[in-house]
Amino acid sequence: QVHLVESGGGTVRAGDSLRLSCAASGRSFSSYAMAWFRQGPGKEREFVASISWGGGNTLYADSVKGRFAISRDNAKNMLYLQMNSLKPEDADVYYCAASPKDNSRRENTYDYWGQGTQVTVSS
């Protein structure tokens, strides 16, 4: 019911910035909590950040807190992840996800997923 498409991935050097975008379908985007997860080679998906339906409540993984910022524009059905001070360990495939409930760090609360966008960080 919700189609998500990530974009904005690319290759940057350590210390640089990148902004990821996620375009959502439908008219009820504002009713979903949204999140970003990432997954590296041979690893499980890792929570990165989440945001409540209204954008007033955000959660961040300790590894990215202070460097990344999640935001949303409900009028445009868009989710964003601003990534600053990128590190080589941030190089993963990043996925956006939607939940009918409030934002959570738990992967199983998110019902809809995009296909991911690759972020590569060189040292």
Side-chain angles (χ1 to χ4, degrees):
Q1 292 182 310
V2 178
H3 182 62
L4 305 173
V5 180
E6 303 95 337
S7 63
T11 301
V12 299
R13 293 189 177 276
D16 287 352
S17 298
L18 197 64
R19 189 176 81 159
L20 305 183
S21 299
C22 175
S25 66
R27 301 178 181 179
S28 301
F29 175 72
S30 62
S31 68
Y32 289 88
M34 301 292 295
W36 290 97
F37 287 78
R38 65 189 183 186
Q39 185 172 24
K43 297 183 178 180
E44 298 180 356
R45 287 188 181 182
E46 174 190 17
F47 172 80
V48 177
S50 63
I51 187 167
S52 62
W53 65 268
N57 185 22
T58 58
L59 298 172
Y60 293 94
D62 289 341
S63 60
V64 306
K65 191 173 184 179
R67 298 188 299 118
F68 291 9
I70 188 171
S71 62
R72 65 192 296 165
D73 186 338
N74 289 341
K76 297 181 178 180
N77 287 357
M78 294 293 294
L79 175 74
Y80 304 101
L81 183 68
Q82 178 66 47
M83 303 184 294
N84 299 321
S85 301
L86 282 163
K87 303 175 180 179
E89 52 263 42
D90 295 321
D92 292 307
V93 177
Y94 283 72
Y95 301 87
C96 68
S99 171
K101 298 179 173 60
D102 204 357
N103 57 312
S104 170
R105 299 176 185 270
R106 295 182 176 272
E107 181 178 353
N108 61 10
T109 66
Y110 295 90
D111 296 332
Y112 305 99
W113 296 81
Q115 294 300 308
T117 185
Q118 177 71 55
V119 173
T120 301
V121 183
S122 61
S123 60

